[in-house]
């Protein structure tokens, strides 16, 4: 669960990268091994490992080890919290854009006259 602004920042930082978003998308159907996750990406295993570390620090995945297998599982709680944060601010943003739109119409009306 995202409890502090720093945790929320880590979630948004993790989501900012297209490779990490694709990894999360691949995990939505269930857990996968690191090898299976890395398969479609044209990058080294250490690079994939770095992406997984970012996702794990953000709380978006959980990694487990069983014998030689490393498995990743999606954790949706941080995504739910990030979505809730956006929803809380959406109304304020919409209101500000509406005020800006109204002001621009007023200014345009003055220049047309």
């Amino acid at each position: 669960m995202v409890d502090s602004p720093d945790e929320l920042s880590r979630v948004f930082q993790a989501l900012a990268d297209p490779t990490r978003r694709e990894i999360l998308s691949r995990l939505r159907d269930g857990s996968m091994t690191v090898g299976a996750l890395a398969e479609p990406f044209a990058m080294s295993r250490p690079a994939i490992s770095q992406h997984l570390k970012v996702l794990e620090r953000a709380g978006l995945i959980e990694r487990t080890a069983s014998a030689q297998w490393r498995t990743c599982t999606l954790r949706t709680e941080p995504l739910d919290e990030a979505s809730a944060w956006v929803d809380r601010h959406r109304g304020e943003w919409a209101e500000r854009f509406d005020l800006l739109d109204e002001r621009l119409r007023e200014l345009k009306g003055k220049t047309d006259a």
Side-chain angles (χ1 to χ4, degrees):
M1 185 174 213
V2 179
D3 295 323
S4 73
D6 290 338
E7 291 176 27
L8 186 60
S9 294
R10 282 193 291 273
V11 171
F12 283 121
Q13 178 210 8
L15 295 174
D17 184 86
T19 299
R20 291 191 287 266
R21 289 193 306 268
E22 180 60 27
I23 289 170
L24 293 175
S25 292
R26 294 186 51 140
L27 289 171
R28 73 176 169 239
D29 293 329
S31 299
M32 296 179 77
T33 65
V34 171
L37 276 173
E39 197 173 289
F41 299 105
M43 64 180 64
S44 68
R45 292 289 172 109
I48 290 292
S49 181
Q50 288 297 330
H51 283 295
L52 295 176
K53 285 178 186 177
V54 171
L55 292 169
E56 190 173 30
R57 273 194 307 267
L60 293 166
I61 65 167
E62 182 174 83
R63 291 198 282 183
T64 56
S66 175
Q68 74 270 23
W69 304 108
R70 304 291 182 257
T71 303
C72 297
T73 304
L74 179 66
R75 293 189 62 245
T76 59
E77 298 88 353
L79 293 172
D80 295 338
E81 292 294 323
S83 179
W85 184 89
V86 169
D87 289 343
R88 281 193 304 273
H89 292 83
R90 184 173 301 181
E92 181 181 332
W93 297 332
E95 182 180 321
R96 288 181 182 186
F97 282 125
D98 289 346
L99 289 171
L100 177 61
D101 191 41
E102 182 180 317
R103 181 66 178 141
L104 291 173
R105 277 195 304 270
E106 288 172 7
L107 291 173
K108 187 174 180 345
K110 287 181 182 178
T111 60
D112 289 341

